[in-house]
Amino acid sequence: MALAAIRTDRETIARSEDHRALRIWLRLLTCTQMIERVVRSRLRSRYRTTLPRFDLMAQLERHPEGLKMNELSRLLMVTGGNVTAIVDQLEKEGLVERLDEPSDRRAFRIRLTKSGERSFTDMARAHEEWVVELLSGLSRREQDELLRLLARAKEHALERISEMRP
Amino acid sequence: MALAAIRTDRETIARSEDHRALRIWLRLLTCTQMIERVVRSRLRSRYRTTLPRFDLMAQLERHPEGLKMNELSRLLMVTGGNVTAIVDQLEKEGLVERLDEPSDRRAFRIRLTKSGERSFTDMARAHEEWVVELLSGLSRREQDELLRLLARAKEHALERISEMRP
DNA sequence: CCGAGATGCTTTAAGCTTGATCTATTCAGG
DNA sequence: CCTGAATAGATCAAGCTTAAAGCATCTCGG
């Protein structure tokens, strides 16, 4: 829930030029949250898991040699404390394992177990189907254009962020 | 954190047609989360508040006559239990008040206090500046096009959702 | 070689969120 | 008028998330 100050029904006519930015922001939020809600709900009801766990397993699936906690933290863009708790849960379910890192006794290397690999493959297939279906209303050209605009919005926002002081 | 199964660095060349949908989804997520993170951080450090509270106050600012809990729940798209906790916190800080609803003894009407109105006006101005700045890298035409594509993506996704079984 | 600073991971408190459940109240139909 | 169903809001357990603090370990410069 992260709705900005804007007219009663979200996407209404802007009061001024500046409101376009607020409307874009609001639409980004509602689109993202709508798809996220569907995905979260499906993962919970069909696989008894959660989206953060799924995402973490997705990162591990792409790195068969495993990832360190701080690498997971960076890739997933969440804090180390959060990664610790999610890895704890997955380890408890036997889906991942913590392996010692010989070159650094502070660190661990997290890897999917065999059970975790099978489980993830199953969920990933369904996940892709859901996302494809939810976004299938856009034509090929519209999808390409949306990708391009989101990429531009992101890179410009990143520029602004690096220029801003906290 | 809701990253899907996709190539190591997020926005890489799709393996197949279906991956375009995943890439769009991923870009939606990273754009949204990036802006959200900035806004949350600013609200916390400069105003000692949180984004959900800001959003709730935004809804109340537009309804001077107040809103019932279930109306807030619907507008903010979160569960009633969540609204209860956030209203509790804002009431404790003297920013909102719960008024009896004469026609229904089960219900309350939530309204901003004078203090809450002043506080919100202050934050809303800053919030709009931040969002405008973060999205200012896009041209006017690109912003219009992004709004249009997000609207189309949303309406199509809504259609799919209403057709899907849970 | 040693000490200060940095790093990796964990723990803690606080906040948000959901879905299920509970109590009090309202409403509609017989 | 009465009863069963629905509704409004609160509570609870579980999960995610952050920022800050703590401990163990590593690195680098003097």
Side-chain angles (χ1 to χ4, degrees), chain A residues 90-124:
Chain A
L90 289 169
E91 188 181 35
K92 194 162 110 192
E93 291 169 21
L95 300 175
V96 308
E97 56 189 353
R98 277 181 168 95
L99 304 167
D100 287 338
E101 173 72 6
S103 61
D104 190 337
R105 292 205 302 277
R106 298 170 296 180
F108 292 108
R109 184 160 291 273
I110 314 303
R111 206 166 60 185
L112 281 176
T113 59
K114 288 301 183 188
S115 173
E117 283 170 5
R118 287 194 296 272
S119 187
F120 176 75
T121 299
D122 207 7
M123 296 188 291

Side-chain angles (χ1 to χ4, degrees), chain A residues 24-54:
Chain A
I24 291 174
W25 168 229
L26 202 52
R27 271 191 189 165
L28 275 172
L29 271 174
T30 54
C31 277
T32 305
Q33 286 177 346
M34 183 172 54
I35 296 175
E36 195 169 339
R37 208 161 16 245
V38 172
V39 170
R40 281 182 189 274
S41 177
R42 299 282 181 82
L43 285 173
R44 185 180 58 246
S45 61
R46 297 190 195 184
Y47 296 99
R48 292 289 182 273
T49 191
T50 66
L51 191 50
R53 293 178 202 174
F54 174 79

Side-chain angles (χ1 to χ4, degrees), chain B residues 37-87:
Chain B
R37 207 162 16 246
V38 172
V39 170
R40 281 182 189 277
S41 177
R42 299 281 182 81
L43 283 174
R44 184 179 60 246
S45 61
R46 298 190 193 183
Y47 297 99
R48 292 292 181 271
T49 191
T50 65
L51 190 50
R53 292 177 203 174
F54 173 79
D55 286 335
L56 195 147
M57 291 173 79
Q59 291 297 338
L60 293 178
E61 189 271 337
R62 290 205 289 282
H63 296 84
E65 76 285 5
L67 288 167
K68 295 194 288 187
M69 306 290 277
N70 60 10
E71 288 169 339
L72 279 167
S73 176
R74 182 174 54 79
L75 289 166
L76 298 166
M77 297 190 292
V78 296
T79 63
N82 195 5
V83 171
T84 294
I86 299 171
V87 167

